[in-house]
Amino acid sequence: MKPAERGEPNPGVVERARHGDQSAFSQLVGLYQAPVYNLAYRMLGTAVEAEDAAQETFLRAYSQIKSFKAEYKFSSWLLSIASHYCIDRLRRNKFRWLSLDAETMVETLRSDKPDPEETALRNERSGEAQKLLQALPPAYRVVVTLRYWNEMSVEEIAQVTHDSVSNVKVKLFRARQMMAQAYVRETQMQLRPALVEGLGDAS
Amino acid sequence: MHPEMIERMTRALDKELPGEDTRLLQTHLLECATCAGEWAALLAVHQQLSNARMLSPTPGFANRVMNRIAARGQKRAQRQSLVGVFAFLVGSVAVFALTVYLSPLGELWQTGGWVELVNEVIVWLAFLSALTRVANTLGLALLERSGEGALLLMAFVAFGLTFLWARLVSGSAFASRQLKT
């Protein structure tokens, strides 16, 4: 999400949603559906699971909205719910991976049309970014997703993940190293000193 | 590999590396092939992640969420009403049990006097049965000796006495109500 897109909603909308106004909450869903869905997709890896996790995030937000404190950013609060839910879900999935595979297979067989997100990922350099993410443990995946797609600072990520700033930095550092190793393995990349030129692009 | 250079590389990716350190890193990468390879991989990953677009759900997502919220609200209302009925039943049973416990019946229960109570009832039933038998015998005797007229007279007297008793009872109840008011 670009900075312009992550503007906070009108405080009045959040306040109305806190008082049970469903149309105000619907506005919030419309405003944040993409970042929440994207986080869920990057964490879970399939459109079916991402849709369900994103919906569940908003259901939880709806039932807990009274606990939201105005001094925090609404997006941080919402993404915090989403990230914790996705990590829990991945932990649960670990214990029922066989049945999950069966479900995913049934879901794939059920639909004839290609899923729009699957198509988008294929266009996105064959979903290479997604492949790299899948090589990471869930706690690292959240940090990377919030950093790259939500363009959050380390401090903001720490707030979302309820972690310390130094821990977030370590996770980001290790995650990058792990992904770099996975990338080298995947592409059989040769060491080329000429790529030093890239330093100018990054900095 | 040089760990301090890896640290510099990640800071460079986050655009947090000061100019002097950037130059040091550049010089090092030209001399160290291992670190140059690491940098190339880190940069490739960084660029892939930076170029990946944000994914959105299929159209109608907000409606699907709001429908689920409504469905969950209905379920909760149903569950609450069931809990309400259950609470009412449990409460009623509790109040009934408490009432029985505090009443003379409860006292009997506590002292184990149920047997005595049943005996009392049996005695009363036996007494009523005996009374009925006496009344029956008396009626038959009256019918045999003095005929139907005497029996009719006795019934009339009994009816009159009952009426009088009823008037007296209702009169006293009326009087006590008047006194209270």
Side-chain angles (χ1 to χ4, degrees), chain A residues 13-14 27 29 45 66 85 104 107 128 142 149 162 171 176 183 191 202:
Chain A
V13 177
V14 179
Q27 275 183 50
V29 176
K66 281 192 170 30
Y85 177 75
T104 313
E107 203 61 47
E128 281 165 1
V142 173
W149 282 277
H162 300 156
K171 282 177 184 170
R176 278 169 169 161
Y183 183 80
L191 305 179

Side-chain angles (χ1 to χ4, degrees), chain A residues 1 22 33-34 38 42 51-52 55-56 59 117 120 128 132 147-149 173 176-177 191 195 198-199 202, chain B residues 6 10 12 14-15 26 29 37 39-41 43-44 46 48 52-56 61 64 66 68-69:
Chain A
M1 186 165 44
Q22 293 212 348
Q33 58 182 3
N38 183 68
R42 301 298 174 185
E51 166 86 20
D52 190 48
Q55 285 190 17
E56 189 58 40
L59 289 179
E117 295 309 334
E128 281 165 1
L132 290 170
R147 180 73 175 154
Y148 281 96
W149 282 277
F173 176 76
R176 278 169 169 161
Q177 276 197 308
L191 305 179
L195 281 169
L199 189 58
Chain B
I6 302 292
T10 53
D14 290 331
K15 298 172 186 171
Q26 275 172 334
L29 291 179
W39 170 249
L43 189 65
H46 177 77
Q48 274 195 9
R53 73 176 186 88
M54 177 161 291
L55 303 172
S56 299
F61 177 81
R64 292 195 292 280
M66 297 316 288
R68 269 184 78 175
I69 286 173

Side-chain angles (χ1 to χ4, degrees), chain B residues 87-103:
Chain B
F88 175 74
L89 286 174
V90 170
S92 304
V93 168
V95 167
F96 177 74
L98 194 67
T99 311
V100 169
Y101 185 77
L102 295 175
S103 69

Side-chain angles (χ1 to χ4, degrees), chain B residues 29-49:
Chain B
L29 291 179
L30 289 169
E31 292 164 356
C32 177
T34 313
C35 285
E38 186 74 26
W39 170 249
L42 280 172
L43 189 65
V45 166
H46 177 77
Q47 282 169 348
Q48 274 195 9
L49 294 174

Side-chain angles (χ1 to χ4, degrees), chain A residues 94-123:
Chain A
K94 235 175 157 180
F95 296 104
R96 58 179 186 93
W97 63 274
L98 273 174
S99 60
L100 185 70
D101 273 3
E103 275 172 31
T104 313
M105 197 181 289
V106 167
E107 203 61 47
T108 311
L109 290 172
R110 202 178 287 156
S111 62
D112 299 333
K113 285 190 285 185
D115 187 86
E117 295 309 334
E118 304 290 355
T119 313
L121 275 178
R122 274 200 292 277
N123 295 338

Side-chain angles (χ1 to χ4, degrees), chain A:
Chain A
M1 186 165 44
K2 299 291 170 263
E5 290 175 288
R6 52 179 179 136
E8 287 297 290
N10 182 342
V13 177
V14 179
E15 202 48 39
R16 279 194 288 128
R18 282 187 70 191
H19 286 92
D21 184 337
Q22 293 212 348
S23 72
F25 190 78
S26 181
Q27 275 183 50
L28 293 174
V29 176
L31 196 59
Y32 289 107
Q33 58 182 3
V36 170
Y37 178 86
N38 183 68
L39 177 66
Y41 198 109
R42 301 298 174 185
M43 290 294 290
L44 303 169
T46 71
V48 177
E49 283 210 83
E51 166 86 20
D52 190 48
Q55 285 190 17
E56 189 58 40
T57 298
F58 283 109
L59 289 179
R60 286 178 180 207
Y62 184 79
S63 61
Q64 296 167 20
I65 198 160
K66 281 192 170 30
S67 71
F68 168 70
K69 292 186 180 78
E71 62 257 35
Y72 295 111
K73 281 171 80 174
F74 187 78
S75 57
S76 298
W77 180 74
L78 195 60
L79 290 171
S80 177
I81 296 174
S83 63
H84 285 104
Y85 177 75
C86 289
I87 289 174
D88 280 350
R89 193 170 171 132
L90 285 168
R91 207 172 286 153
R92 284 199 305 272
N93 286 358
K94 235 175 157 180
F95 296 104
R96 58 179 186 93
W97 63 274
L98 273 174
S99 60
L100 185 70
D101 273 3
E103 275 172 31
T104 313
M105 197 181 289
V106 167
E107 203 61 47
T108 311
L109 290 172
R110 202 178 287 156
S111 62
D112 299 333
K113 285 190 285 185
D115 187 86
E117 295 309 334
E118 304 290 355
T119 313
L121 275 178
R122 274 200 292 277
N123 295 338
E124 185 189 292
R125 289 185 169 188
S126 309
E128 281 165 1
Q130 191 62 30
K131 266 191 225 164
L132 290 170
L133 280 176
Q134 298 303 316
L136 298 176
Y140 289 14
R141 225 179 281 174
V142 173
V143 171
V144 171
T145 305
L146 294 174
R147 180 73 175 154
Y148 281 96
W149 282 277
N150 300 85
E151 296 186 356
M152 282 188 168
S153 66
V154 175
E155 289 75 19
E156 283 174 315
I157 297 171
Q159 199 181 34
V160 168
T161 56
H162 300 156
D163 216 340
S164 67
V165 171
S166 56
N167 266 353
V168 171
K169 280 182 180 170
V170 169
K171 282 177 184 170
L172 193 60
F173 176 76
R174 288 185 185 158
R176 278 169 169 161
Q177 276 197 308
M178 287 168 83
M179 286 189 291
Q181 284 162 10
Y183 183 80
V184 170
R185 275 198 305 276
E186 191 74 27
T187 57
Q188 297 295 308
M189 200 174 85
Q190 300 297 310
L191 305 179
R192 287 191 300 150
L195 281 169
V196 171
E197 288 161 14
L199 189 58
D201 300 338
S203 56

